[in-house]
Amino acid sequence: MFRIVRIAALALIVLGVLSLAGCGQKTEPAATGGAATEAAPGATPEAAPAAPGGDTWTPPNNDYAALDAGPPASGTPVDKALAEKGKALFVSKTCVACHAFGSKKIGPDLAPVAGQRSAEWIKAQLMHTAVMIANDPVTKQLMAESNNVPMVVPGGVTEEEANALIEYIKNGGK
C-alpha cells in the first residue's frame, strides 16, 4: 500500500513539473523596426508574418477583429457531452496548470470568457495560439496582463478538441 502511494505521489510531481514547464517561458515583444503605418482605404491587408513555430494561419481577410465580431460563445446552449470531453482535455492538455474558473492563475480567469468572446475567437486562440499572440490586439492585451507568459498547449489542439474545450468553457468549468 505504501509503495502505491509513493508511486502515485511521484507521478503527480512529475506531471506537475511537466505541466508548468511551458507556462514559465517569457517572451519579449518583437521590435517592429519602425513606426506602424495604416493601410490606405480599400487596400488589401498584408498577410501577417508567420508565428514562431511556423503556423501561417490567418483569419479571413487577415481581419483579427472580425474573429470576435460575432455573438459571444455563451449565446448557444451547452452541449453537455462535448463539455465532458472538454473537461478531460482541460486536464490532459495541462490547461489547468495556468487557468481556473473564478480566479486568475498564470493565465486569465476563464469564468467570463464565454460571455465576452465569440466561439470563433476562442477557437483561434486554442488552435493558433502563437499567431494570435503575434497579431491579435485582444491577445496582446491579455499577454500584457499575464506578464507576457505565452499559452503553451502540449501537442496542439485539433478543431474537435477546440470545440470540446469551448463547450467546457461555456459550461463554466463543470
Side-chain angles (χ1 to χ4, degrees):
M1 177 73 169
F2 181 69
R3 182 178 174 178
I4 293 172
V5 171
R6 282 184 25 205
I7 291 171
L10 180 60
L12 286 174
I13 290 169
V14 169
L15 180 61
V17 169
L18 290 175
S19 8
L20 292 176
C23 290
Q25 299 172 359
K26 287 194 174 189
T27 57
E28 298 299 321
T32 59
T37 57
E38 224 175 275
T44 304
E46 291 182 29
D55 189 349
T56 58
W57 172 88
T58 57
N61 298 319
N62 202 28
D63 187 354
Y64 289 85
L67 287 172
D68 206 23
S74 62
T76 59
V78 173
D79 178 329
K80 298 283 187 179
L82 206 49
E84 278 298 314
K85 290 179 183 175
K87 182 177 184 176
L89 286 166
F90 194 76
V91 173
S92 70
K93 294 285 185 181
T94 69
C95 308
V96 70
C98 298
H99 294 285
F101 291 84
S103 65
K104 183 182 182 330
K105 286 175 115 174
I106 295 167
D109 174 7
L110 295 182
V113 170
Q116 296 172 332
R117 303 278 162 243
S118 72
E120 200 63 32
W121 184 90
I122 298 170
K123 186 181 291 188
Q125 188 69 26
L126 292 166
M127 295 178 64
H128 306 288
T129 307
V131 173
M132 294 293 281
I133 289 170
N135 300 292
D136 178 57
V138 173
T139 305
K140 288 179 180 184
Q141 177 62 37
L142 291 169
M143 285 287 294
E145 293 169 6
S146 297
N147 297 319
N148 290 322
V149 178
M151 185 168 83
V152 177
V153 183
V157 174
T158 66
E159 186 168 3
E160 182 181 319
E161 291 170 332
N163 290 334
L165 286 163
I166 291 167
E167 293 303 307
Y168 178 64
I169 292 168
K170 284 170 42 180
N171 203 34
K174 300 175 186 152

PDB file of all heavy atoms in Angstrom, residues 38-63:
ATOM      1  N   GLU A  38      -0.659  52.891 -41.456  1.00  0.00           N
ATOM      2  CA  GLU A  38      -2.026  52.463 -41.682  1.00  0.00           C
ATOM      3  C   GLU A  38      -2.227  52.223 -43.166  1.00  0.00           C
ATOM      4  O   GLU A  38      -1.714  52.969 -43.999  1.00  0.00           O
ATOM      5  CB  GLU A  38      -2.976  53.571 -41.201  1.00  0.00           C
ATOM      6  CG  GLU A  38      -4.132  53.019 -40.411  1.00  0.00           C
ATOM      7  CD  GLU A  38      -4.977  54.134 -39.851  1.00  0.00           C
ATOM      8  OE1 GLU A  38      -4.639  54.634 -38.776  1.00  0.00           O
ATOM      9  OE2 GLU A  38      -5.979  54.482 -40.499  1.00  0.00           O
ATOM     10  N   ALA A  39      -2.965  51.169 -43.503  1.00  0.00           N
ATOM     11  CA  ALA A  39      -3.227  50.857 -44.903  1.00  0.00           C
ATOM     12  C   ALA A  39      -4.176  51.888 -45.488  1.00  0.00           C
ATOM     13  O   ALA A  39      -5.031  52.431 -44.794  1.00  0.00           O
ATOM     14  CB  ALA A  39      -3.830  49.467 -45.026  1.00  0.00           C
ATOM     15  N   ALA A  40      -4.020  52.131 -46.771  1.00  0.00           N
ATOM     16  CA  ALA A  40      -4.900  53.062 -47.460  1.00  0.00           C
ATOM     17  C   ALA A  40      -6.301  52.472 -47.525  1.00  0.00           C
ATOM     18  O   ALA A  40      -6.464  51.261 -47.602  1.00  0.00           O
ATOM     19  CB  ALA A  40      -4.371  53.313 -48.873  1.00  0.00           C
ATOM     20  N   PRO A  41      -7.329  53.338 -47.485  1.00  0.00           N
ATOM     21  CA  PRO A  41      -8.701  52.823 -47.563  1.00  0.00           C
ATOM     22  C   PRO A  41      -8.874  51.982 -48.826  1.00  0.00           C
ATOM     23  O   PRO A  41      -8.419  52.356 -49.896  1.00  0.00           O
ATOM     24  CB  PRO A  41      -9.567  54.083 -47.614  1.00  0.00           C
ATOM     25  CG  PRO A  41      -8.707  55.169 -47.042  1.00  0.00           C
ATOM     26  CD  PRO A  41      -7.290  54.779 -47.356  1.00  0.00           C
ATOM     27  N   GLY A  42      -9.514  50.827 -48.684  1.00  0.00           N
ATOM     28  CA  GLY A  42      -9.759  49.948 -49.818  1.00  0.00           C
ATOM     29  C   GLY A  42      -8.604  49.023 -50.152  1.00  0.00           C
ATOM     30  O   GLY A  42      -8.717  48.181 -51.016  1.00  0.00           O
ATOM     31  N   ALA A  43      -7.461  49.200 -49.479  1.00  0.00           N
ATOM     32  CA  ALA A  43      -6.301  48.353 -49.752  1.00  0.00           C
ATOM     33  C   ALA A  43      -6.505  46.977 -49.146  1.00  0.00           C
ATOM     34  O   ALA A  43      -7.173  46.828 -48.136  1.00  0.00           O
ATOM     35  CB  ALA A  43      -5.040  48.992 -49.184  1.00  0.00           C
ATOM     36  N   THR A  44      -5.914  45.980 -49.778  1.00  0.00           N
ATOM     37  CA  THR A  44      -5.978  44.622 -49.254  1.00  0.00           C
ATOM     38  C   THR A  44      -4.989  44.502 -48.101  1.00  0.00           C
ATOM     39  O   THR A  44      -3.830  44.896 -48.245  1.00  0.00           O
ATOM     40  CB  THR A  44      -5.603  43.603 -50.349  1.00  0.00           C
ATOM     41  OG1 THR A  44      -6.469  43.803 -51.451  1.00  0.00           O
ATOM     42  CG2 THR A  44      -5.714  42.183 -49.837  1.00  0.00           C
ATOM     43  N   PRO A  45      -5.413  43.977 -46.940  1.00  0.00           N
ATOM     44  CA  PRO A  45      -4.494  43.858 -45.817  1.00  0.00           C
ATOM     45  C   PRO A  45      -3.340  42.921 -46.152  1.00  0.00           C
ATOM     46  O   PRO A  45      -3.516  41.942 -46.860  1.00  0.00           O
ATOM     47  CB  PRO A  45      -5.336  43.272 -44.683  1.00  0.00           C
ATOM     48  CG  PRO A  45      -6.728  43.227 -45.167  1.00  0.00           C
ATOM     49  CD  PRO A  45      -6.724  43.475 -46.633  1.00  0.00           C
ATOM     50  N   GLU A  46      -2.151  43.269 -45.660  1.00  0.00           N
ATOM     51  CA  GLU A  46      -0.987  42.409 -45.865  1.00  0.00           C
ATOM     52  C   GLU A  46      -1.114  41.186 -44.987  1.00  0.00           C
ATOM     53  O   GLU A  46      -1.679  41.237 -43.909  1.00  0.00           O
ATOM     54  CB  GLU A  46       0.288  43.168 -45.487  1.00  0.00           C
ATOM     55  CG  GLU A  46       0.615  44.303 -46.434  1.00  0.00           C
ATOM     56  CD  GLU A  46       1.911  44.987 -46.044  1.00  0.00           C
ATOM     57  OE1 GLU A  46       2.794  44.329 -45.467  1.00  0.00           O
ATOM     58  OE2 GLU A  46       2.022  46.177 -46.322  1.00  0.00           O
ATOM     59  N   ALA A  47      -0.553  40.099 -45.449  1.00  0.00           N
ATOM     60  CA  ALA A  47      -0.560  38.874 -44.660  1.00  0.00           C
ATOM     61  C   ALA A  47       0.313  39.062 -43.433  1.00  0.00           C
ATOM     62  O   ALA A  47       1.360  39.710 -43.496  1.00  0.00           O
ATOM     63  CB  ALA A  47      -0.054  37.702 -45.488  1.00  0.00           C
ATOM     64  N   ALA A  48      -0.139  38.531 -42.317  1.00  0.00           N
ATOM     65  CA  ALA A  48       0.635  38.605 -41.088  1.00  0.00           C
ATOM     66  C   ALA A  48       1.861  37.708 -41.216  1.00  0.00           C
ATOM     67  O   ALA A  48       1.827  36.701 -41.917  1.00  0.00           O
ATOM     68  CB  ALA A  48      -0.220  38.149 -39.909  1.00  0.00           C
ATOM     69  N   PRO A  49       2.945  38.078 -40.545  1.00  0.00           N
ATOM     70  CA  PRO A  49       4.125  37.217 -40.597  1.00  0.00           C
ATOM     71  C   PRO A  49       3.843  35.886 -39.908  1.00  0.00           C
ATOM     72  O   PRO A  49       2.981  35.787 -39.052  1.00  0.00           O
ATOM     73  CB  PRO A  49       5.177  38.022 -39.820  1.00  0.00           C
ATOM     74  CG  PRO A  49       4.398  38.960 -38.961  1.00  0.00           C
ATOM     75  CD  PRO A  49       3.114  39.227 -39.695  1.00  0.00           C
ATOM     76  N   ALA A  50       4.597  34.869 -40.313  1.00  0.00           N
ATOM     77  CA  ALA A  50       4.445  33.556 -39.676  1.00  0.00           C
ATOM     78  C   ALA A  50       4.802  33.678 -38.204  1.00  0.00           C
ATOM     79  O   ALA A  50       5.714  34.397 -37.830  1.00  0.00           O
ATOM     80  CB  ALA A  50       5.350  32.534 -40.346  1.00  0.00           C
ATOM     81  N   ALA A  51       4.049  32.992 -37.384  1.00  0.00           N
ATOM     82  CA  ALA A  51       4.295  32.999 -35.946  1.00  0.00           C
ATOM     83  C   ALA A  51       5.437  32.052 -35.620  1.00  0.00           C
ATOM     84  O   ALA A  51       5.754  31.156 -36.404  1.00  0.00           O
ATOM     85  CB  ALA A  51       3.035  32.578 -35.210  1.00  0.00           C
ATOM     86  N   PRO A  52       6.057  32.234 -34.453  1.00  0.00           N
ATOM     87  CA  PRO A  52       7.073  31.269 -34.045  1.00  0.00           C
ATOM     88  C   PRO A  52       6.483  29.862 -34.095  1.00  0.00           C
ATOM     89  O   PRO A  52       5.351  29.645 -33.725  1.00  0.00           O
ATOM     90  CB  PRO A  52       7.397  31.679 -32.605  1.00  0.00           C
ATOM     91  CG  PRO A  52       6.995  33.114 -32.516  1.00  0.00           C
ATOM     92  CD  PRO A  52       5.840  33.267 -33.469  1.00  0.00           C
ATOM     93  N   GLY A  53       7.248  28.932 -34.568  1.00  0.00           N
ATOM     94  CA  GLY A  53       6.760  27.565 -34.697  1.00  0.00           C
ATOM     95  C   GLY A  53       6.240  27.275 -36.097  1.00  0.00           C
ATOM     96  O   GLY A  53       5.897  26.161 -36.421  1.00  0.00           O
ATOM     97  N   GLY A  54       6.158  28.306 -36.951  1.00  0.00           N
ATOM     98  CA  GLY A  54       5.797  28.097 -38.339  1.00  0.00           C
ATOM     99  C   GLY A  54       4.321  28.104 -38.665  1.00  0.00           C
ATOM    100  O   GLY A  54       3.943  27.837 -39.791  1.00  0.00           O
ATOM    101  N   ASP A  55       3.430  28.404 -37.721  1.00  0.00           N
ATOM    102  CA  ASP A  55       1.997  28.445 -38.002  1.00  0.00           C
ATOM    103  C   ASP A  55       1.729  29.664 -38.877  1.00  0.00           C
ATOM    104  O   ASP A  55       1.981  30.799 -38.476  1.00  0.00           O
ATOM    105  CB  ASP A  55       1.208  28.530 -36.690  1.00  0.00           C
ATOM    106  CG  ASP A  55      -0.300  28.363 -36.883  1.00  0.00           C
ATOM    107  OD1 ASP A  55      -0.774  28.383 -38.036  1.00  0.00           O
ATOM    108  OD2 ASP A  55      -1.003  28.225 -35.868  1.00  0.00           O
ATOM    109  N   THR A  56       1.230  29.451 -40.073  1.00  0.00           N
ATOM    110  CA  THR A  56       0.975  30.548 -41.006  1.00  0.00           C
ATOM    111  C   THR A  56      -0.514  30.843 -41.175  1.00  0.00           C
ATOM    112  O   THR A  56      -0.903  31.582 -42.064  1.00  0.00           O
ATOM    113  CB  THR A  56       1.584  30.225 -42.392  1.00  0.00           C
ATOM    114  OG1 THR A  56       1.011  28.997 -42.868  1.00  0.00           O
ATOM    115  CG2 THR A  56       3.089  30.099 -42.316  1.00  0.00           C
ATOM    116  N   TRP A  57      -1.358  30.277 -40.315  1.00  0.00           N
ATOM    117  CA  TRP A  57      -2.797  30.522 -40.382  1.00  0.00           C
ATOM    118  C   TRP A  57      -3.082  32.010 -40.229  1.00  0.00           C
ATOM    119  O   TRP A  57      -2.409  32.729 -39.476  1.00  0.00           O
ATOM    120  CB  TRP A  57      -3.489  29.751 -39.254  1.00  0.00           C
ATOM    121  CG  TRP A  57      -4.946  30.072 -39.113  1.00  0.00           C
ATOM    122  CD1 TRP A  57      -5.975  29.482 -39.764  1.00  0.00           C
ATOM    123  CD2 TRP A  57      -5.528  31.060 -38.263  1.00  0.00           C
ATOM    124  NE1 TRP A  57      -7.174  30.044 -39.369  1.00  0.00           N
ATOM    125  CE2 TRP A  57      -6.920  31.025 -38.454  1.00  0.00           C
ATOM    126  CE3 TRP A  57      -5.001  31.993 -37.362  1.00  0.00           C
ATOM    127  CZ2 TRP A  57      -7.795  31.856 -37.777  1.00  0.00           C
ATOM    128  CZ3 TRP A  57      -5.869  32.835 -36.685  1.00  0.00           C
ATOM    129  CH2 TRP A  57      -7.255  32.760 -36.900  1.00  0.00           C
ATOM    130  N   THR A  58      -4.060  32.479 -40.961  1.00  0.00           N
ATOM    131  CA  THR A  58      -4.570  33.840 -40.762  1.00  0.00           C
ATOM    132  C   THR A  58      -6.089  33.779 -40.875  1.00  0.00           C
ATOM    133  O   THR A  58      -6.637  32.941 -41.585  1.00  0.00           O
ATOM    134  CB  THR A  58      -4.036  34.848 -41.810  1.00  0.00           C
ATOM    135  OG1 THR A  58      -4.375  34.388 -43.112  1.00  0.00           O
ATOM    136  CG2 THR A  58      -2.538  35.047 -41.691  1.00  0.00           C
ATOM    137  N   PRO A  59      -6.772  34.688 -40.181  1.00  0.00           N
ATOM    138  CA  PRO A  59      -8.238  34.732 -40.316  1.00  0.00           C
ATOM    139  C   PRO A  59      -8.608  35.253 -41.701  1.00  0.00           C
ATOM    140  O   PRO A  59      -7.772  35.847 -42.386  1.00  0.00           O
ATOM    141  CB  PRO A  59      -8.658  35.709 -39.220  1.00  0.00           C
ATOM    142  CG  PRO A  59      -7.467  36.555 -38.970  1.00  0.00           C
ATOM    143  CD  PRO A  59      -6.270  35.702 -39.262  1.00  0.00           C
ATOM    144  N   PRO A  60      -9.847  35.045 -42.125  1.00  0.00           N
ATOM    145  CA  PRO A  60     -10.281  35.573 -43.429  1.00  0.00           C
ATOM    146  C   PRO A  60      -9.970  37.066 -43.536  1.00  0.00           C
ATOM    147  O   PRO A  60     -10.181  37.836 -42.597  1.00  0.00           O
ATOM    148  CB  PRO A  60     -11.795  35.315 -43.433  1.00  0.00           C
ATOM    149  CG  PRO A  60     -11.972  34.151 -42.504  1.00  0.00           C
ATOM    150  CD  PRO A  60     -10.916  34.328 -41.439  1.00  0.00           C
ATOM    151  N   ASN A  61      -9.427  37.455 -44.661  1.00  0.00           N
ATOM    152  CA  ASN A  61      -9.033  38.846 -44.939  1.00  0.00           C
ATOM    153  C   ASN A  61      -8.029  39.384 -43.927  1.00  0.00           C
ATOM    154  O   ASN A  61      -7.904  40.605 -43.772  1.00  0.00           O
ATOM    155  CB  ASN A  61     -10.248  39.773 -45.010  1.00  0.00           C
ATOM    156  CG  ASN A  61     -11.179  39.395 -46.130  1.00  0.00           C
ATOM    157  OD1 ASN A  61     -10.727  39.059 -47.225  1.00  0.00           O
ATOM    158  ND2 ASN A  61     -12.468  39.420 -45.868  1.00  0.00           N
ATOM    159  N   ASN A  62      -7.361  38.473 -43.202  1.00  0.00           N
ATOM    160  CA  ASN A  62      -6.374  38.867 -42.191  1.00  0.00           C
ATOM    161  C   ASN A  62      -6.984  39.823 -41.165  1.00  0.00           C
ATOM    162  O   ASN A  62      -6.323  40.708 -40.623  1.00  0.00           O
ATOM    163  CB  ASN A  62      -5.144  39.504 -42.859  1.00  0.00           C
ATOM    164  CG  ASN A  62      -3.928  39.436 -41.986  1.00  0.00           C
ATOM    165  OD1 ASN A  62      -3.784  38.544 -41.171  1.00  0.00           O
ATOM    166  ND2 ASN A  62      -3.037  40.392 -42.157  1.00  0.00           N
ATOM    167  N   ASP A  63      -8.279  39.642 -40.881  1.00  0.00           N
ATOM    168  CA  ASP A  63      -9.026  40.541 -40.003  1.00  0.00           C
ATOM    169  C   ASP A  63      -9.237  39.880 -38.632  1.00  0.00           C
ATOM    170  O   ASP A  63     -10.194  39.139 -38.425  1.00  0.00           O
ATOM    171  CB  ASP A  63     -10.364  40.878 -40.651  1.00  0.00           C
ATOM    172  CG  ASP A  63     -11.139  41.948 -39.895  1.00  0.00           C
ATOM    173  OD1 ASP A  63     -10.701  42.360 -38.802  1.00  0.00           O
ATOM    174  OD2 ASP A  63     -12.197  42.355 -40.412  1.00  0.00           O
TER     175      ASP A  63
END
